[in-house]
Amino acid sequence: MVTVRPATADDGALIARMLVLAADWRPGAPARDVAAVLADPALAHYVEGWPRPDDVGVVAEDDDGTAVGAAWCRAFRADDPGYGFVGTDVPELAVAVVPGRRGARIGRALVTALLAAAASRGVERLSLSVEHDNPAARLYASLGFEVVGDADGAWTMVASTGPWLTPPVPPP
């Protein structure tokens, strides 16, 4: 059983560890540590200073409280874009699930929860970058992400956070 909860300011180290998993998603990829990933400015800006005021994140935990995944989004500046940058008003999503738990619908739960959390904060769209051979591309498409760009072996995808993801409001 997995529970998805909002990410907090105390989750900075966890988010950084999840960035490593997101960057090195391929099975058998050489294991890098957090310091090596954070030494790369193109990756480090996804987590530096977590959380910024507009950051939104969620964490998946097992019953014993062990984190098994996280998803978060952050807006970037045009002069310091992320890999899936489409505009300063469209935060970019990052997601990772620990290798032993991939394929168990945890990623789906995380992305769905993040879309809803972002919508509740007034975010209308999220973007992401996914390599062509990453199986997660099918997940993103099933959740409404559409390809808006294709470069360097990766798609840039965008989805509306949409009202269909926000919890219904009961009538008065």
Side-chain angles (χ1 to χ4, degrees), residues 46 81-87 90-92 127-129 148 155-158:
Y46 283 90
Y83 289 107
F85 182 81
V86 296
V90 182
E92 187 174 341
S127 69
L128 59 83
S129 176
V148 297
W155 291 301
T156 298
M157 302 178 83
V158 175

Side-chain angles (χ1 to χ4, degrees), residues 8-94:
T8 69
D10 294 335
D11 290 317
L14 168 66
I15 299 290
R17 287 193 311 272
M18 291 294 144
L19 176 64
V20 173
L21 295 177
D24 297 337
W25 64 269
R26 284 186 170 77
R32 291 188 288 176
D33 63 13
V34 172
V37 170
L38 295 181
D40 180 350
L43 294 173
H45 70 166
Y46 283 90
V47 298
E48 285 178 330
W50 175 268
R52 293 180 186 164
D54 292 332
D55 288 348
V56 181
V58 293
V59 175
E61 294 179 334
D62 275 335
D63 288 338
D64 66 0
T66 302
V68 295
W72 65 99
C73 62
R74 170 173 278 185
F76 291 102
R77 298 184 326 260
D79 65 346
D80 186 28
Y83 289 107
F85 182 81
V86 296
T88 58
D89 61 334
V90 182
E92 187 174 341
L93 177 149

Side-chain angles (χ1 to χ4, degrees), residues 123-136:
V123 175
E124 295 180 4
R125 298 183 305 152
L126 293 180
S127 69
L128 59 83
S129 176
V130 61
E131 292 169 281
H132 295 163
D133 60 342
N134 189 329

